[in-house]
């Protein structure tokens, strides 16, 4: 046994070293590829749409002299001026949108840091300090991408037609453009006037309301269907909901649209919340905003990463979520989505714009034996929506989640239940336990042999019964 443990330890160490070495080579190449794609898309946008499309590769310094101080950022806390029809307000945005150093830059900084610790040369250290103070930790930062987007609003111009050339133009993805209502798509099921309780379902990243309506809704008992009004929403930028090209998809925008499209439109007074992955952050924000209305809070795989003191919150969470490793596969996929603006746009161009082809091929290969609602949820979004939502919700709320969880602990009286698949490779199981440490009354249920998706898909009957039990045990009005 001792020999086997040593062999296993050696193999694990060798595998880890190989993973890091291969990852370094791969992501250095991807850094270069993303740099090249930046210019390719600028040229393509100009020739197809007759306008340069700003991206987050733009230098922050250019916007300081040319556009006034619209975005101010300090130590990861960023706000941007936003114009609505009636007022000016500050939007919280994540600095990870425009501060994503290449792998080579990170290694260089790490080397300088190690030299500083060793104190090999006082002169070198002093010069490094000057460079660091002069370029890295500027007090205020202006980002030209957001400046350009907001300037379009200020002069009242339409930024880009819907859809953009790299977005899908099918009727399903753009069904919202034919509606006069500026609201989210909501899949509602249950008694309209006689429902005693309402349930709000919030899906996760690059998903849709079908994640709930095609799995749980058909499996609720007859009693539940006659008691609860089930409201599953497509988040802003996803599914059949609006996908505005000039939106920054901030936490406020997402929460406001859910309130407008669900709570206000359906006259919801008190409600249960069921949320998955990224949707858990929105669920917490809504619960804190409506503490007296939430009857139960059910979170599936909440992406909560406690930030150590002294660490920049947004950057820390981005590195935890997307570690820039080729293995496991989900770590590689999340790294592409987080770190590379133009490579991820290329993925959307190839997959989302051509989703009808991929759906046809899937049905052809499987002989139409499987339902494609998961594919529809995965495909039906724009790069602009996915990119900003990922950074502004998961990374951008890193410094807020502690206060949200504390508010749920202290101000809400409802039950909090957390489900997490033991085999989840997207959000570590430890995240759920970290939530429980913040909210001691929260119950964590680990589901064996299930991952980020199969925690619902494939066990929908069992999960529907579990939800009904949670709702029955909640305080009555």
């Amino acid at each position: 046994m001792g020999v086997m443990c040593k062999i296993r330890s050696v193999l694990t160490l060798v595998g880890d070293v190989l993973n890091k070495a291969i990852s370094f080579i791969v992501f250095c190449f991807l850094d270069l590829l993303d740099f090249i794609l930046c210019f390719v898309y600028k040229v393509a946008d100009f020739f197809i749409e007759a306008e340069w499309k700003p991206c987050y590769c733009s230098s922050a310094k250019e916007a300081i002299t040319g556009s006034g101080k619209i975005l101010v950022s300090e130590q990861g806390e960023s706000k941007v001026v936003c114009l609505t029809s009636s007022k000016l307000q500050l939007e919280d945005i994540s600095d990870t949108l425009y501060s994503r150093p290449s792998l080579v830059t990170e290694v260089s900084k790490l080397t300088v840091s190690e030299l500083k610790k060793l104190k090999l040369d006082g002169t070198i250290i002093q010069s490094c300090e000057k460079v660091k103070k002069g370029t890295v930790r500027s007090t205020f930062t202006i980002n030209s991408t957001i400046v350009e987007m907001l300037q379009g609003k200020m002069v009242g111009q339409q930024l880009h037609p819907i859809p953009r050339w790299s977005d899908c133009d099918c009727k399903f993805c753009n069904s919202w453009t034919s509606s006069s209502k500026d609201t989210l798509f909501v899949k509602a099921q249950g008694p309209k006037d006689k429902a005693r309780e309402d349930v709000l379902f919030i899906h996760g990243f690059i998903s849709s309301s079908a994640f709930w309506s095609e799995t749980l809704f058909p499996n609720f008992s007859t009693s539940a269907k006659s008691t609860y009004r089930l409201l599953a929403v497509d988040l802003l930028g996803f599914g059949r909901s609006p996908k505005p090209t000039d939106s920054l998809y901030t936490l406020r925008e997402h929460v406001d649209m859910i309130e407008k499209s669900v709570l206000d439109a359906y006259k919801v007074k008190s409600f249960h919340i069921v949320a998955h992955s990224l949707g858990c952050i929105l669920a917490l924000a809504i619960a804190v905003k409506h503490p007296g209305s939430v009857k139960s809070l059910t979170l599936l795989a909440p992406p909560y990463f406690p930030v150590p003191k002294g660490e920049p919150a947004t950057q820390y969470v981005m590195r935890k979520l997307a570690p820039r490793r080729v293995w496991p596969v989900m770590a590689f996929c999340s790294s592409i989505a987080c770190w590379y603006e133009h490579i991820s746009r290329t993925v959307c161009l190839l997959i989302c714009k051509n989703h009808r082809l991929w759906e046809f091929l899937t049905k052809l290969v499987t002989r139409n034996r499987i339902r494609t609602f998961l594919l529809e949820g995965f495909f039906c979004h724009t790069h602009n929506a996915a990119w900003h939502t990922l950074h502004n919700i998961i990374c951008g709320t890193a410094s807020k989640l502690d206060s949200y969880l504390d508010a749920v602990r202290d101000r809400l009286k409802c039950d909090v239940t957390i489900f997490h698949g033991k085999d989840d490779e997207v959000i570590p199981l430890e995240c759920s336990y970290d939530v429980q440490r913040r909210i001691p009354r929260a119950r964590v249920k680990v589901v064996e042999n299930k991952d980020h998706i199969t925690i619902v898909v494939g066990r929908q009957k069992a999960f529907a019964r579990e939800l009904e039990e949670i709702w029955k045990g909640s305080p009555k009005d």
Side-chain angles (χ1 to χ4, degrees), residues 19 148 160 185 200 213 249-250 281 289 338 365 442 466 474:
N19 190 19
E148 290 181 45
H160 296 286
F185 172 82
L200 170 62
S213 62
Y249 295 89
T250 61
I281 298 175
K289 197 171 180 181
C338 271
V365 170
E466 290 168 335
S474 64

Side-chain angles (χ1 to χ4, degrees), residues 19 22-24 26-28 30-31 34 96 100-103 106 205-206 315-345 347 383 386-387 390-391 394-395 425-427:
N19 190 19
I22 295 171
S23 296
F24 180 80
V26 169
F27 283 98
C28 282
L30 293 176
D31 287 337
D34 200 63
T96 57
R100 290 167 284 106
S102 67
L103 199 57
E106 295 242 300
F205 185 57
I206 53 175
Q315 295 289 330
Y316 176 82
V317 169
M318 182 171 69
R319 283 162 174 75
K320 292 291 288 185
L321 184 68
R324 284 192 289 197
R325 291 287 182 267
V326 295
W327 188 263
V329 175
M330 292 308 300
F332 178 72
C333 293
S334 60
S335 297
I336 293 292
C338 271
W339 287 91
Y340 300 106
E341 180 179 2
H342 305 291
I343 294 177
S344 58
R345 184 180 177 184
V347 172
H383 173 255
W387 178 256
L390 176 61
H391 282 277
I394 292 188
C395 299
E425 292 184 344
V426 179
I427 304 298

Side-chain angles (χ1 to χ4, degrees), residues 66-356:
S67 313
K69 298 179 181 179
I70 295 181
L71 168 68
V72 291
S73 172
E74 185 175 18
Q75 300 292 321
E77 292 291 333
S78 305
K79 290 184 182 292
V80 61
V81 176
C82 180
L83 290 172
T84 66
S85 58
S86 59
K87 60 184 177 180
L88 262 175
Q89 53 191 345
L90 289 176
E91 290 276 24
D92 289 305
I93 60 103
S94 175
D95 71 328
T96 57
L97 283 167
Y98 53 84
S99 179
R100 290 167 284 106
S102 67
L103 199 57
V104 174
T105 302
E106 295 242 300
V107 171
S108 300
K109 288 181 179 179
L110 191 60
T111 303
V112 170
S113 177
E114 290 301 318
L115 287 173
K116 181 178 177 181
K117 289 179 182 178
L118 294 173
K119 296 183 178 179
L120 296 177
D121 189 331
T123 305
I124 293 177
I125 302 309
Q126 289 175 8
S127 63
C128 288
E129 283 291 327
K130 289 180 181 178
V131 171
K132 188 175 181 181
K133 289 179 181 178
T135 59
V136 178
R137 293 197 177 185
S138 56
T139 303
F140 295 102
T141 304
I142 311 298
N143 184 263
S144 56
T145 302
I146 299 177
V147 168
E148 290 181 45
M149 292 174 74
L150 291 174
Q151 279 180 325
K153 285 186 175 182
M154 288 178 179
V155 298
Q157 68 183 52
Q158 280 294 117
L159 287 181
H160 296 286
I162 304 294
R164 299 201 63 216
W165 72 269
S166 55
D167 296 332
C168 180
D169 58 357
C170 76
K171 290 183 179 180
F172 182 87
C173 291
N174 295 279
S175 58
W176 62 278
T177 59
S178 60
S179 173
S180 59
K181 294 182 179 179
D182 184 24
T183 56
L184 304 178
F185 172 82
V186 180
K187 177 67 175 180
Q189 181 175 305
K192 295 181 179 179
D193 302 319
K194 298 180 180 180
R196 294 200 294 271
E197 299 181 35
D198 291 307
V199 186
L200 170 62
F201 291 86
I202 308 175
H203 64 77
F205 185 57
I206 53 175
S207 186
S208 71
S209 57
F211 183 76
W212 310 110
S213 62
E214 296 289 334
T215 55
L216 293 179
F217 284 20
N219 288 288
F220 284 119
S221 64
T222 304
S223 174
K225 290 178 181 178
S226 62
T227 303
Y228 304 102
R229 183 168 54 171
L230 312 174
L231 305 166
V233 62
D234 281 352
L235 294 178
L236 184 67
F238 299 88
R240 282 176 274 185
S241 285
K243 305 173 182 68
T245 56
D246 58 348
S247 172
L248 295 175
Y249 295 89
T250 61
L251 180 67
R252 184 194 64 80
E253 287 179 285
H254 278 291
V255 171
D256 284 357
M257 286 297 282
I258 292 174
E259 290 176 326
K260 176 182 177 181
S261 307
V262 183
L263 304 188
D264 295 342
Y266 288 85
K267 299 179 180 179
V268 175
K269 301 301 180 184
S270 62
F271 54 100
H272 304 271
I273 303 179
V274 181
H276 177 240
S277 192
L278 175 144
C280 295
I281 298 175
L282 301 177
L284 288 170
I286 292 171
V288 170
K289 197 171 180 181
H290 303 272
S293 300
V294 179
K295 305 187 71 172
S296 73
L297 186 59
T298 305
L299 307 177
L300 286 74
Y304 172 58
F305 300 91
V307 181
K309 290 183 178 180
E311 289 277 357
T314 54
Q315 295 289 330
Y316 176 82
V317 169
M318 182 171 69
R319 283 162 174 75
K320 292 291 288 185
L321 184 68
R324 284 192 289 197
R325 291 287 182 267
V326 295
W327 188 263
V329 175
M330 292 308 300
F332 178 72
C333 293
S334 60
S335 297
I336 293 292
C338 271
W339 287 91
Y340 300 106
E341 180 179 2
H342 305 291
I343 294 177
S344 58
R345 184 180 177 184
T346 303
V347 172
C348 283
L349 173 63
L350 295 175
I351 295 179
C352 299
K353 185 176 177 63
N354 300 291
H355 70 88
R356 288 163 292 184

Side-chain angles (χ1 to χ4, degrees), residues 10-24 325:
V10 171
L11 290 176
T12 301
L13 179 62
V14 171
D16 188 52
V17 171
L18 283 174
N19 190 19
K20 289 180 179 178
I22 295 171
S23 296
F24 180 80
R325 291 287 182 267

